[in-house]
Amino acid sequence: MNDDFATAMRRAVRSTRALNVAEATRVIQDALSGRAASDTRLSTPDITLPPPRQRSTPFPVDPDAEVIEQWAKPEAEEPAERIGEVAALRRLRKPLGETVRILHESRLASGAFGSLHGAGLPGTAKQVPEPILPDGAQFPARSFTCPAGSRSYRLYIPASAPDRPRGLVIMLHGCKQDPEDFAAGTGMNAVAETHGLVVAYPRQSGANNASSCWNWFRSADQMRDEGEPAIIAGITKEIMSEFSLDRGRVFVAGLSAGGAMAAVMGETYPDLYSAAGIHSGLAYGSANDVMSAFSAMRGEGGLASSPKRLANRHRLRTIVFQGSADRTVHPSNADRIVAAAIPTGAGCAVQKEPGRSASGRAYTRTIVADPAGRPAVEYWLVDGVGHAWSGGHSAGSYTDPHGPDASSQMVRFFLDGQE
């Protein structure tokens, strides 16, 4: 170890002990990349823990968030209500050598769910102008508040069915995205216009996650009537009431962290949605904290090898898209989503269909039919696609325009199974 690196490590340790995790992480990354310690042009985002009393503010999922020290005071001096928090933090601690290894691996990802070639600046949603809407269509900004919290959202109301839409799709964006970017990249508004659907795009705020990721990995955000699931469900119910929609015409979909949260919504609110679309996501219960989230994303064992399920829950019809070249969310996670969605009991039929998109991307479409012969699960494994929305538009981030059109296929799957 050279003198400069050793000096950097000592600075990182001092910063960590002072609870300045962001500075410690920056110093380590500078040392790994060979930048001088004073070079702060590529400094990492602030990933420090929230103040102790702000227990509703979640810890952000970010690859730079690997070093977590216990509070400066010993546990015996802590108030009783914080002892649990301290114990949880201790479970997340890593030796410095392990931290360096993880940071070295995750530098290539440049974010909790990575950055892609052509995906725009790391750490930011792609800046997109307001869309040009068909005459009579609307895309208003709204907000929703309930006891679990508040979120804003954009709602696409099609000109083809402004008063009596055929259904509702809840679209949950990925990390470092926002509703406008996600709408532009997926092209879901155009698909919704064709089919007379309303589409809601809830916005995850930087105040609730530094990378604007939905907190799918936190136990508090994996439960019905609590946390982010309660907020998203509240938005869903508000729109259902406004347009007189029943469960058979309501669907939830998402990309990456949004796909993982779509799986959470399908598991915790099976009475609210009739189908789910999960793109480059993870199965419900694959993680319960930051470290297990990284393990699950890498396709490693632990919780991800046997995702938990809530008892006596209806399994939603599910369509899954996954790129075979995804280096951010390992493709094995798609297999776990499919396994969790397959109906129980004997008699399910499996059919595999190879194909190729108009732009030349090869894919394998696997269809699982329930004992009555109705398609219950579809799994599209697309060759050569990374961590990106298949068939998306370059106007948005995290898209691969050459793959089969995930937005059109999801809507087709949703509507084919309407009750």
Side-chain angles (χ1 to χ4, degrees):
M1 181 180 294
N2 60 40
D3 292 341
D4 289 342
F5 191 82
T7 300
M9 291 302 98
R10 286 194 293 271
R11 288 188 57 191
V13 170
R14 287 197 300 270
S15 296
T16 301
R17 288 173 177 170
L19 297 182
N20 190 347
V21 184
E23 174 64 14
T25 305
R26 183 187 68 76
V27 170
I28 293 172
Q29 289 190 320
D30 285 346
L32 290 171
S33 62
R35 293 195 300 273
S38 60
D39 185 354
T40 59
R41 291 173 297 170
L42 298 180
S43 61
T44 57
D46 183 2
I47 57 171
T48 52
L49 284 170
R53 297 294 180 181
Q54 295 180 3
R55 302 179 70 175
S56 62
T57 303
F59 183 69
V61 178
D62 194 282
D64 308 327
E66 296 290 350
V67 182
I68 303 177
E69 277 285 354
Q70 74 180 77
W71 301 101
K73 293 183 180 181
E75 182 175 331
E77 298 180 16
E78 292 293 336
E81 65 268 20
R82 286 194 48 211
I83 290 176
E85 293 177 339
V86 174
L89 287 174
R90 285 177 170 168
R91 289 196 298 271
L92 294 177
R93 294 182 64 185
K94 286 284 181 182
L96 184 59
E98 177 69 2
T99 298
V100 172
R101 181 190 67 78
I102 294 172
L103 285 171
H104 180 69
E105 292 176 353
S106 62
R107 283 176 60 244
L108 301 177
S110 297
F113 286 83
S115 62
L116 319 182
H117 52 280
L121 293 174
T124 61
K126 192 165 185 176
Q127 298 299 309
V128 296
E130 280 294 309
I132 299 174
L133 304 177
D135 289 343
Q138 304 172 57
F139 198 37
R142 297 182 172 188
S143 63
F144 174 81
T145 300
C146 68
S150 301
R151 295 295 186 278
S152 63
Y153 65 97
R154 297 295 295 266
L155 181 67
Y156 183 77
I157 304 173
S160 58
D163 299 318
R164 297 188 61 82
R166 188 177 178 186
L168 163 66
V169 182
I170 302 293
M171 290 285 284
L172 303 175
H173 63 73
C175 296
K176 302 181 180 181
Q177 293 183 312
D178 58 31
E180 295 78 15
D181 174 28
F182 196 39
T186 61
M188 185 59 81
N189 288 354
V191 178
E193 183 66 44
T194 299
H195 294 278
L197 303 172
V198 289
V199 186
Y201 300 86
R203 183 189 307 272
Q204 176 65 306
S205 70
N208 291 280
N209 185 289
S211 296
S212 298
C213 307
W214 295 101
N215 293 298
W216 59 273
F217 57 93
R218 298 178 69 240
S219 296
D221 293 301
Q222 296 174 352
M223 302 175 65
R224 184 183 179 95
D225 298 330
E226 293 189 21
E228 290 174 357
I231 299 170
I232 296 169
I235 292 172
T236 304
K237 293 174 183 177
E238 181 175 79
I239 300 169
M240 291 174 67
S241 176
E242 179 179 351
F243 292 98
S244 300
L245 296 170
D246 56 39
R247 172 189 173 274
R249 295 186 288 167
V250 179
F251 321 101
V252 61
L255 169 68
S256 192
M261 184 54 75
V264 171
M265 298 308 298
E267 186 71 26
T268 55
Y269 288 91
D271 54 331
L272 202 57
Y273 306 99
S274 64
I278 303 172
H279 202 312
S280 310
L282 298 97
Y284 173 80
S286 294
N288 62 2
D289 56 28
V290 176
M291 298 309 300
S292 59
F294 278 102
S295 177
M297 288 163 59
R298 290 192 294 262
E300 297 174 357
L303 289 174
S305 62
S306 56
K308 63 184 178 182
R309 293 190 58 85
L310 298 181
N312 301 319
R313 291 301 194 208
H314 173 71
R315 297 186 178 183
L316 298 191
R317 298 177 63 251
T318 303
I319 180 169
V320 179
F321 268 79
Q322 176 67 51
S324 68
D326 193 335
R327 297 180 62 185
T328 303
V329 174
H330 193 275
S332 61
N333 286 286
D335 297 329
R336 296 182 180 110
I337 296 169
V338 171
I342 292 176
T344 56
C348 289
V350 179
Q351 177 182 354
K352 291 193 175 184
E353 300 176 350
R356 191 172 294 273
S357 71
S359 298
R361 288 280 193 197
Y363 62 83
T364 301
R365 176 190 178 202
T366 302
I367 304 170
V368 180
D370 65 18
R374 297 167 299 197
V377 181
E378 276 194 22
Y379 173 27
W380 294 65
L381 180 62
V382 187
D383 290 350
V385 170
H387 197 61
W389 189 271
S390 179
H393 302 277
S394 58
S397 63
Y398 300 89
T399 64
D400 187 320
H402 303 295
D405 188 344
S407 297
S408 293
Q409 293 299 335
M410 284 187 181
V411 168
R412 185 266 311 159
F413 179 82
F414 293 160
L415 298 180
D416 283 352
Q418 277 192 339
E419 300 175 358

